[in-house]
């Protein structure tokens, strides 16, 4: 039987709720990507060109630090990676996490929450950060459809 991990970053709680629903529905372990320096509401003000999130997202090389403890991804076969869509892609802290682990031979499946953006650009971006992983198609989710989507996608693996 495949061992499953749901890993996620959530700034407002929406992605966290979806990740918890997915982990419960799939009997998966759950790991939160937490920033070393937590985001404040002012940091998340996307309308402010000087906010932390705006500065990070306008610099493709930005890699915010992830707080410990780390997760041992080697023990998992399938990893669902969740995040909110920021500026059309995943937040840079997700890139920090992805680049900090070896996903060779793992199946990765992205899921995202969004107020209106597609997951298409984010899917392309996360795949570029982990080219040695086997990627399955991602999905925009919310806490209402997350469980059904996860069960469906994992049954097709």
């Amino acid at each position: 039987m495949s061992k499953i991990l749901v890993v996620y970053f959530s700034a407002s709680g929406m992605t966290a709720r979806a990740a918890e629903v997915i982990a419960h529905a799939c009997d998966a372990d759950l790991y939160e990507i937490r920033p070393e320096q937590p985001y404040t509401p002012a940091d998340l003000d996307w309308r402010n060109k000087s906010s932390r999130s705006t500065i990070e997202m306008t610099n493709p090389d930005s890699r915010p630090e992830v707080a410990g403890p780390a997760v041992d991804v080697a023990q998992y076969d399938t990893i669902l990676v969740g995040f909110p869509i920021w500026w059309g892609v995943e937040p840079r802290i997700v890139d920090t996490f992805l680049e900090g682990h070896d996903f060779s031979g793992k199946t990765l499946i992205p899921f995202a929450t969004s107020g209106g953006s597609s997951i298409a650009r984010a899917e392309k971006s996360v795949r570029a950060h982990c080219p040695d992983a086997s990627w399955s198609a991602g999905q925009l989710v919310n806490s209402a459809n997350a469980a059904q989507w996860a069960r469906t996608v994992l049954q097709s693996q």
Side-chain angles (χ1 to χ4, degrees), residues 56-60 62-64 89-96:
E56 288 175 1
M57 295 308 294
T58 55
N59 177 0
S62 177
R63 294 296 180 271
V89 294
E90 74 285 357
R92 302 290 182 220
I93 194 165
V94 174
D95 299 339
T96 304

Side-chain angles (χ1 to χ4, degrees), residues 121-135:
R121 281 185 51 215
E123 271 192 286
K124 184 177 179 181
S125 179
V126 293
R127 287 173 187 250
H129 292 290
C130 298
D132 294 334
S134 172
W135 285 92

Side-chain angles (χ1 to χ4, degrees), residues 40-77:
T40 67
D43 291 336
L44 298 172
D45 184 358
W46 57 271
R47 296 167 300 217
N48 179 349
K49 292 184 189 299
S50 299
S51 75
R52 178 175 161 202
S53 60
T54 300
I55 292 168
E56 288 175 1
M57 295 308 294
T58 55
N59 177 0
D61 296 325
S62 177
R63 294 296 180 271
E65 292 291 322
V66 174
V71 63
D72 179 13
V73 299
Q75 63 181 310
Y76 299 96
D77 305 301

Side-chain angles (χ1 to χ4, degrees), residues 108-111 119 123 127 135-139 149 153 157:
L108 272 63
I109 307 167
F111 67 94
I119 194 173
E123 271 192 286
R127 287 173 187 250
W135 285 92
S136 291
Q139 179 72 38
W149 167 77
V153 76
Q157 296 295 307

